[in-house]
Amino acid sequence: MIQTDEKVLVEQPSVKNTEYSESATTFDYSSIVKSDHFKKMCKEKTVFTVSYTIFYMLYSLLLPYLALSTNLLNGKIIGEISWAWIYAISMIPMSFIVCSIYLKKADYFDKEAKKILENQEV
């Protein structure tokens, strides 16, 4: 993808990638940026990314805070296993869940971006 002043050239994959081919598609980037669909997608992406980042950071940083500043995690559950162990081990499935949700949303945003480009083809 090559960006000029107001247009973006997207070159189709080919065997020779040394020069621009005639199959290169031109997009009017300034009209894409101004479109409601693009603005909506950017807002959704920002809300998703910021909210999941805040959640993940809070969940991760809560363990050291609770372990060092309070006695909440000192209680025993089964034998010598405390709440601190349960909380720490819960980070593994939580990480996988957050990653899988992110992958699904990334696929969704890729499809939305493709729709936007298809609607803007000259």
Side-chain angles (χ1 to χ4, degrees), residues 25-91:
T25 307
T26 303
F27 297 103
D28 185 7
Y29 186 72
S30 60
S31 68
I32 292 173
V33 171
K34 293 175 186 175
S35 71
D36 291 334
H37 195 168
F38 181 78
K39 289 178 184 178
K40 180 184 173 211
M41 185 192 73
C42 287
K43 185 177 179 182
E44 283 182 46
K45 191 173 182 179
T46 301
V47 167
F48 170 76
T49 305
V50 169
S51 62
Y52 269 76
T53 302
I54 290 171
F55 167 75
Y56 190 80
M57 293 298 293
L58 287 176
Y59 193 88
S60 299
L61 295 174
L62 194 59
L63 176 63
Y65 173 76
L66 290 175
L68 297 174
S69 301
T70 68
N71 292 326
L72 287 173
L73 301 178
N74 291 343
K76 306 287 185 200
I77 298 174
I78 302 171
E80 294 297 314
I81 299 175
S82 67
W83 284 107
W85 280 99
I86 300 299
Y87 191 92
I89 291 172
S90 75
M91 288 185 171

Side-chain angles (χ1 to χ4, degrees), residues 7-23:
K7 301 219 182 243
V8 175
L9 298 174
V10 178
E11 199 169 332
Q12 303 297 327
S14 63
V15 177
K16 293 183 179 179
N17 198 9
T18 56
E19 295 291 326
Y20 292 111
S21 66
E22 291 182 22
S23 65

